[in-house]
Amino acid sequence: MIFKQLLEPDSCTYTYLLGCEETGESVLIDCVIDTVERDLEVIQSLGLKPSYTLETHIHADHLTGARKMKALAASQIVVPSMDRLDCADLGVEEGQPFKVGNIELHPLFTPGHTSTHHAYLVKSDTHTLLFSGDALLIEACGRTDFQSGDPATLYQSIHEKFFTLDDETLVYPGHDYEGRQITTIGQEKQRNPRLGNNKSKEAFIHIMNTMNLPYPRKIDFAVPGNTQCGLCPDNVPEAFRGPCDLQEVPHEERVPAMQGDQG
Ligand SMILES: [Fe+2]
């Protein structure tokens, strides 16, 4: 499996590229509208096809690049089925592996940060990789005070779906705000200040309900835009409109990116 962890620095979002060496198919987990062109260059430089974009949840802190990647490269938009998004090409749900070439992604329904959040588990010959979205972050977790968040539900998701995995499971989070890139289930069970050391559900709920985090600066346009797979709504402020440019240009009218590099 070809694997790359890519960063969108404005929202500190990690996008993950998984590519099948045998078939050339690839999937981008949680790509961001601001870095779609960069991601496409990476995919093509590795000799992969931009087959799918896949979401963990309806993001509030950035616009997804799903629609833009589809416009640029004809990738298919994949989201959790229970999001019921008309703009999506395919839906995923727990219990039904999603295949990208010979790679199998196992969706895990992990609500709490949002009510339809999914994580993805991938088993390679040597490692088990968990793409935890915003349910579990490195020594942290996603906030539960917006959208359909609920701390008791998140506690249950993490304990039932994540902390039952092997300690050696590699955890790749949806964000990190301090430049850290990876953790493990074992480390989080031990060290996570909100959940580790068998922290009780009551203690977790208290921590999450008293965080006093600032209002998310992009939520007012990100949530409506992401329910349309990354369409830029009219209320996107001028400062954030740059990446909105190309997304409505029909695919047939585009010159494939990096065309000159393919020979
Ligand atoms: Fe999120």
Side-chain angles (χ1 to χ4, degrees):
M1 181 173 79
I2 294 170
F3 174 69
K4 277 251 180 201
Q5 183 180 39
L6 301 155
L7 175 71
E8 192 289 298
D10 187 59
S11 60
C12 293
T13 298
Y14 282 128
T15 296
Y16 296 99
L17 170 65
L18 279 60
C20 172
E21 285 163 291
E22 291 83 30
T23 67
E25 288 187 78
S26 77
V27 60
L28 276 176
I29 301 174
D30 288 340
C31 69
V32 181
I33 195 169
D34 308 62
T35 34
V36 161
E37 287 94 342
R38 184 272 317 264
D39 296 349
L40 189 54
E41 278 184 30
V42 171
I43 289 169
Q44 294 178 331
S45 71
L46 291 166
L48 295 167
K49 294 175 269 196
S51 315
Y52 305 103
T53 58
L54 173 63
E55 305 294 326
T56 54
H57 63 293
I58 307 277
H59 308 279
D61 60 346
H62 65 267
L63 279 165
T64 169
R67 183 181 284 263
K68 186 168 181 174
M69 185 62 88
K70 182 175 180 173
L72 285 172
S75 51
Q76 290 197 287
I77 298 174
V78 190
V79 303
S81 299
M82 61 176 69
D83 282 331
R84 300 181 184 280
L85 301 186
D86 292 339
C87 53
D89 299 299
L90 294 166
V92 292
E93 56 191 58
E94 187 171 295
Q96 295 184 7
F98 176 61
K99 289 199 78 170
V100 178
N102 296 323
I103 303 166
E104 273 194 358
L105 292 90
H106 297 266
L108 297 175
F109 176 47
T110 41
H113 172 61
T114 69
S115 61
T116 58
H117 184 286
H118 282 63
Y120 300 101
L121 195 64
V122 177
K123 292 177 182 174
S124 78
D125 293 341
T126 50
H127 296 98
T128 302
L129 287 66
L130 174 68
F131 299 94
S132 59
D134 291 3
L136 181 63
L137 306 177
I138 300 171
E139 295 183 5
C141 63
R143 63 194 295 174
T144 54
D145 55 342
F146 275 105
Q147 298 177 273
S148 46
D150 178 66
T153 307
L154 183 58
Y155 186 90
Q156 193 176 351
S157 290
I158 291 171
H159 275 264
E160 289 179 2
K161 301 286 172 74
F162 294 167
F163 283 1
T164 50
L165 298 168
D166 288 344
D167 280 356
E168 294 72 31
T169 305
L170 302 175
V171 179
Y172 290 96
H175 300 281
D176 193 81
Y177 303 96
E178 296 173 33
R180 298 165 298 186
Q181 293 177 289
I182 184 172
T183 184
T184 65
I185 291 297
Q187 278 195 45
E188 293 310 311
K189 273 159 90 172
Q190 224 176 7
R191 291 190 209 162
N192 191 302
R194 303 177 194 172
L195 294 143
N197 258 322
N198 295 315
K199 189 88 80 189
S200 71
K201 185 189 274 193
E202 291 66 36
F204 177 74
I205 292 170
H206 178 73
I207 290 168
M208 297 309 291
N209 285 343
T210 53
M211 293 197 74
N212 294 318
L213 294 166
Y215 188 74
R217 66 198 165 116
K218 295 184 179 177
I219 191 171
D220 290 338
F221 64 86
V223 170
N226 288 332
T227 56
Q228 298 185 71
C229 298
L231 191 72
C232 285
D234 292 341
N235 65 340
V236 178
E238 206 46 48
F240 296 125
R241 286 208 78 83
C244 296
D245 278 356
L246 304 165
Q247 64 177 350
E248 295 313 322
V249 179
H251 179 65
E252 307 77 57
E253 294 175 20
R254 310 213 118 265
V255 177
M258 300 291 290
Q259 194 176 41
D261 288 346
Q262 288 179 7

